[in-house]
């Protein structure tokens, strides 16, 4: 796509506003709510909070439908092509990255989407998460080439 066009930007802004509002209304921006959802050891005592499942399950259903509709199209409405991951392999870097993401989410109760939504309210401890998230992303740029096998160029 050569330059961003108004329909693309308007759709991105509307999508971001809907996503951020949904995160805030569903309380996914509350780290304690997330930690109570992830604490399966609290089930026997009745302290487990399953309410976020009512956010996650409909989100999966919406994405399932959106992906099915998207597969019928050649391109999105306001872009030249769909931007899909280059690899669909379930490999070590994917599993390791998912494990690190889950570990960080379980420790802090915050993941990147809600953290960005929380910037508007900037609670005291958020800057620690944002700085360490930026450092982790920066370090990942140097670690990933060592974990990913070199691409082999095949010439005809």
């Amino acid at each position: 796509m050569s330059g961003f066009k108004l329909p693309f930007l308007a759709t991105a802004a509307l999508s971001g506003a809907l996503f951020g509002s949904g995160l805030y209304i569903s309380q996914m921006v509350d780290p304690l709510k997330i930690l109570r959802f992830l604490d399966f050891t609290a089930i026997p005592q009745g302290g487990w909070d399953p309410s976020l499942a009512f956010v996650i399950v409909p989100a999966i259903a919406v994405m399932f439908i959106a992906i099915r509709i998207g597969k019928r199209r050649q391109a999105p409405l306001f872009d030249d092509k769909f931007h899909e991951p280059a690899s669909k392999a379930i490999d070590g870097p994917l599993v390791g990255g998912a494990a690190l993401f889950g570990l960080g989410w379980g420790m802090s109760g915050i993941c990147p989407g809600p953290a960005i939504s929380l910037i508007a309210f900037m609670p005291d401890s958020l800057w620690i998460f944002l700085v360490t998230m930026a450092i982790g992303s920066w370090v990942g740029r140097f670690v990933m080439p060592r974990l990913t096998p070199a691409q082999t160029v095949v010439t005809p």
Side-chain angles (χ1 to χ4, degrees), residues 48-62:
W48 181 56
D49 180 1
S51 63
L52 288 183
F54 293 101
V55 176
I56 295 168
V57 172
I60 292 170
V62 167

Side-chain angles (χ1 to χ4, degrees), residues 17-104:
L18 283 172
F19 184 67
S21 298
L23 290 173
Y24 194 79
I25 291 169
S26 67
Q27 299 177 4
M28 285 195 73
V29 295
D30 181 358
L32 290 177
K33 181 104 175 151
I34 299 296
L35 294 175
R36 287 185 192 120
F37 175 72
L38 295 174
D39 185 9
F40 297 114
T41 62
I43 292 174
Q45 294 85 23
W48 181 56
D49 180 1
S51 63
L52 288 183
F54 293 101
V55 176
I56 295 168
V57 172
I60 292 170
V62 167
M63 279 310 300
F64 179 80
I65 294 168
I67 288 172
R68 294 283 178 216
I69 292 171
K71 286 186 182 268
R72 294 182 186 161
R73 300 186 54 85
Q74 295 290 324
L77 289 175
F78 305 119
D79 202 350
D80 297 334
K81 64 177 184 169
F82 288 106
H83 300 274
E84 297 178 346
S87 173
K88 297 187 185 217
I90 300 174
D91 54 10
L94 177 68
V95 173
L100 286 173
F101 178 87
L103 185 63

Side-chain angles (χ1 to χ4, degrees), residues 23 28 34 101 104-105 108-118 129 133:
L23 290 173
M28 285 195 73
I34 299 296
F101 178 87
W105 194 30
S108 67
I110 304 173
C111 68
I116 300 301
S117 294
L118 278 174
F129 179 86
M133 182 176 76

